[in-house]
Amino acid sequence: MMPAARWPYRAWMRMLIPADVRDEAMASLDHRVLEIAAAQGLTAARRWYRQQCLKRTGELLVTLRSQVLQTTRQILAEASLGVIWQDVRSAMRGITHAPAQAAVIVGVLAVGIAGTTAVCSVLSGILLRPLPYPDADRLALVWTFNTAENRRDGSSSLNTRDWVSRSTTLERLALYWRPEFTADTVLLGDRPVRVQTAIVESSFFDVLGVQAKAGRTFLPSDIASGTRPVIVREDFLARFGLSTASAIGQTLTVAGRPATIAGVVAAEVTLPTADTVLWRVFDPSPPGAMASRRDDTYVALIRVRQTFTRDAAAQEIRAIASTLAVEHADTNKDFSVEVKSLRDEVVGSRLEAVLWMLLAAVGLVLLIAANNAAHLLLLRSEHRRHEFAVRIALGAGRMRIIRQLTVEGLVLGVVAVVAGVAGGAGLLEVLLWLAPPDVPRLDQATFDVTVALAGAASALIVSPVFAVLPALTTARHADVVVLRSGSGRSTPERRRLTRFLVAAELTLAVVLLVETGLVIRSVRALGSVDPGFNARSVLVGRIDLPETYTPGARIVQFHDELRARLETIPGVNAVAAMGDVFLRRNPDQKIVVEGRDQQVAPPLTVELVTPGFIDALGLTLHEGRTLTSTDQLTSGQVGYVVINRAMADAFWSGESAVGRRFWWWSPAIDTSTDPGLRVAGVVSDFRRERLDEPPFPNAFVIMHMPSMDLAIRTAGLPEAVMADVDRLVREIDPGVALTGLAPAWNRFAGSVASRYFQVWLLGGFATLAIGLAVVGLFALLSQGVVARRREIGIRLALGAQPSAVRRLVVRDGLQLTAQGLAVGLAIAWCAARLTRQLLFEVSPGDPLTFMWVAVGVFLVAAVATSLPALRAGRLPVARIIQID
Amino acid sequence: MPRSQYLGELELTILLALDRLDGPAFGMAVYDEIVTATGREMSAPTVYITLARLARKDYVKIVAPSSTSNRATKCFALSASGEAALAQSRRMLGALLKPRRRRA
């Protein structure tokens, strides 16, 4: 028969009724509910049951309150300095009596406090602390979103002007160049450095609300003045030993042209990117007919009017964008917008996911720790029931014992808090030290006092409460029973609770272990990704030619000489230049393939290279031929390009690509007169910047540019020739800036490093979790053996084999493990799906990981089980029988 | 031996209700009696818990734990010491309820 009351209320009610009358009371209530349901309907019956639950809860609270008040009053009445001191002393005695147990409890609590404090500090620094701009929540970035290709893109100045002029919610808007286009070589004095720069509209800093620390920010008149002012960041100046005040008016060379420092801003300005140190100004007013709405160069920084929310602004701009899509269907057909708050943009969704996962991990560990501490404290007091019974029999007041336990719990709690807070501060340092350098706003992470206080408070509450709980019942019930039974016999009730707690610990630990396993497998997969070229034997640096090198023969000549000279260095195999070896732009170039419809998707990226780039990067030529200096593109003649495997597969899958013809797409394309391009050869793919992102389709064309990456393939270690390369470049022309010379592998290490960070943290937490859970299991089983000493003794005395007794304990432990494991694996299976974003080439349900975790947990649990089991088999039978 | 000779307010209420019911009664019947007679808001489980406590103190005896239905039900009745305690409480309350003679 289905009870009429809903199950959550029945479960609630069950908790409110003590075990001795539970069955009877529950049965009566169920019966009564049915009666009411029959007489007045189900709704009335359920209402009655709810009222019963509420009333009972209220009554329980009233009782509890009066009990607590009474106890406190009594304790306070008896307390004096001397008595407290005596309590502390006897508490210390109690603790030193079983130091290992006390140490474990303190350790468990301290670990929980330390872990939460450190991770929450990082989290609040990165995610919760406001950005260093006034009214930062009114700032947002607007991107064009290409709905046809499902990716976001830069915007055109024409479109953004329309957003502003038609909007009522925008206060201001400033454009800046997409940061991936704007790395520059800067020469201050005679030391060239390659830095991230920004090209921004003159109103950029005003929209951000940033004032100059010295000098000024940009003025609208800066464009016309021709002085080329730049704003630099304070920490950039420090690298050159320049003070903020003395820097104003200094000249430096940016991208081969002189510029003047007009102002200095604080190091906390991190827009467009965290490593931007220099801002240049530009005027986005459309240069006549050349301007296109398809231009994707700019990002729009907006400040929303005070009276509107960011969401309202986002909605309005989206509406404007869809109007524009109709008005300018030829260009804007597929354009929507993406509005992202500045905070989200700065922090990044992937990092946010990592941090939340970490917090979840810490939360789990803290749960396990608190759980474990409670359960250990329960066991500890449980063990001493006999001691209390004896003391009560000898005339100790019940209050005396409660007080002593409270003080003991408090002493343990205080030690744990001190250790935990110190540990948390230390752990924070370790986290900051381990963190990969590209984590934004990491400098904002400082020790979070609020979290530490909360952790401390919880420890100071948990420990005395759970220390006292068993004593309350001991003191209440007939003490004779405890005395007679000879040992602390736990009630079945409490045994069930502790068993549940231990199983829950195992469950949580399993969830963490699985997640860690998946991330470890991701990192391994990432480490074994072939970047497509031998990154460990390629040296990459940036070559910037001074302004005197005008595009044309002069640059070609320099590149030829550079190649010839560098290849004389022993150990250098091949040299070439390439627009950007590591910059992975969004594919933006569309092409028209001969014999197909116009505008074949997907788009690709065009890479500018000098002859010999295949050798210099160590790529493999799959078919066709490589390019030589005679393949420079000339208008009116057919051009030759080399394409990568991804492009060949995208456009000419299953057939040979060599000799195929295509055209760069443009609105004015005329395939009948334009000779177009032909594929000369196909090279292997290679990965750029991040190993965890697959290669795009690429076309390589010969082009000599004043600013290019230099790629040098070496026979041995690339570091060995670095000095020679540097010297030779300076010999050819001391005005040429060679910067950032480093082995290519270093660049990939960045993307691997952030994953190692995750592995370290998660691995640490998972180890902690399983360690805590196993301690819990061990304690539970040991206590079980002690509690069942008499039963086991009798069994042994009656001729049971020790092995049978051992099996009894082992079975108990493994059963518990199996339960925790089963539930844990099920939860982990669901949880892993939520963290898919953090995995690489590993499915969230990876069977190998799940299997290893299961086997591992079982083995560890077996070890934890075997010790109490061995002890059970070796119990001194004669003594037990004698005592009891 | 009972810990206390004095009855708590809740205990007294329940003993009085049992007395009014005149004979063995189910816990639910005691609950109904209290609710209808006094209009007092009280939860049914509390009645059971208090009855169990009174049984431990020997004021209430459990008669014929019936297992005829599938419900585990017990009938409660006043025990001899329960009657005595109730009588004593009644005397005490009666004495206190009588208006005190005014001082001359």
Side-chain angles (χ1 to χ4, degrees), chain A residues 220-248:
Chain A
S221 58
D222 281 339
I223 310 281
S225 72
T227 53
R228 292 169 53 81
V230 294
I231 308 289
V232 293
R233 216 161 72 173
E234 213 173 8
D235 54 337
F236 175 71
L237 291 175
R239 274 203 260 166
F240 294 92
L242 280 175
S243 76
T244 306
S246 69
I248 307 299

Side-chain angles (χ1 to χ4, degrees), chain B residues 54 60 64 75:
Chain B
L54 288 168
V60 161
C75 269

